[in-house]
Amino acid sequence: MINQHSHKIQSRFASKVAVLLSCVTLTTFTATTVAIAQTAEPKATASILNVKGELVGTATFAQTPLGVTVSLKVQNLAKGEHMVHVHEYGKCDAPDFKTSGNHFDPEDKDDEHDHEHMHNKHEEGKHKPTGDLPNIIVKQDGTGSLNAILPELTLGSGNNSLLKQGGTSIMIHAGADGKSTMPKVDYKTRIACGVIKP
Ligand SMILES: [Cu+2]
């Protein structure tokens, strides 16, 4: 009888300790998670596939106070200079990748009501879509890399986000400046595409 009683007390005590411990663990865990979420830069990635669905590149994106940094690495592409853009939808349906839409250029959408401003911009011919990146140079061995920054874009919320509703994608074209890297293929042809994901 005494033994049973003390056992009961012991197990009650043990379960109280267990609850207490799990509370402490949970609190520590939550605090750590919040701290990491507050200090870590939001990141995104894209796996870039060619028209056959083969992986030909990877892009990683990170938020900095100056904008979104882009690190792009490619392989098995035609040697030469290729245009690279962020496109306006998070869709990459082969073979033409048309579902990715046009160049991502959220500023133009905001300015749509401002016809005079738009007109001037086009007259000057200086406006570059905000999602346009420098061209990537692919070497003889089919590899290439590019590091760039998109100062007007974000991985946060709002119109200018690469992670906006409907997503965005990163597109590689067959060539640049009127020159194609592939015979009988127009330089503007979309040859590889990756959906940008958190
Ligand atoms: Cu493009």
Side-chain angles (χ1 to χ4, degrees):
M1 196 61 188
I2 292 166
N3 273 349
Q4 255 180 6
H5 186 66
S6 82
H7 182 254
K8 236 183 202 170
I9 289 171
Q10 255 177 9
S11 63
R12 250 189 225 160
F13 178 70
S15 73
K16 266 187 191 162
V17 168
V19 168
L20 196 69
L21 273 181
S22 71
C23 280
V24 169
T25 313
L26 196 69
T27 309
T28 314
F29 177 74
T30 309
T32 311
T33 311
V34 169
I36 288 170
Q38 278 171 348
T39 54
E41 302 156 347
K43 279 202 161 74
T45 58
S47 294
I48 302 168
L49 308 179
N50 66 14
V51 295
K52 293 180 199 162
E54 297 158 343
L55 184 74
V56 294
T58 312
T60 57
F61 303 83
Q63 184 72 58
T64 76
L66 300 174
V68 178
T69 59
V70 185
S71 176
L72 171 63
K73 282 189 166 57
V74 300
Q75 69 268 340
N76 296 323
L77 286 185
K79 183 197 166 197
E81 206 167 336
H82 298 254
M83 289 187 289
V84 186
H85 313 127
V86 173
H87 279 222
E88 63 185 335
Y89 305 124
K91 280 188 174 174
C92 290
D93 295 311
D96 58 15
F97 300 129
K98 288 269 158 69
T99 50
S100 70
N102 294 315
H103 297 202
F104 185 43
D105 200 14
E107 275 206 336
D108 264 358
K109 275 175 195 156
D110 291 344
D111 290 345
E112 241 160 24
H113 61 281
D114 188 352
H115 289 282
E116 204 174 325
H117 180 57
M118 279 286 282
H119 188 65
N120 287 341
K121 244 204 274 196
H122 285 183
E123 242 178 18
E124 285 165 18
K126 275 179 186 169
H127 176 71
K128 183 173 85 81
T130 49
D132 282 15
L133 290 156
N135 299 332
I136 189 167
I137 313 287
V138 174
K139 295 180 286 185
Q140 185 74 49
D141 68 358
T143 69
S145 64
L146 175 75
N147 288 294
I149 189 158
L150 295 163
E152 291 165 81
L153 299 181
T154 176
L155 294 177
S157 56
N159 268 358
N160 290 6
S161 179
L162 294 175
L163 303 173
K164 68 170 173 64
Q165 184 114 53
T168 57
S169 52
I170 183 165
M171 185 71 65
I172 300 174
H173 293 263
D177 303 321
K179 281 176 250 160
S180 182
T181 60
M182 298 151 83
K184 292 179 184 171
V185 176
D186 184 84
Y187 80 103
K188 285 181 193 162
T189 305
R190 302 168 178 201
I191 61 165
C193 181
V195 176
I196 299 170
K197 294 174 182 170

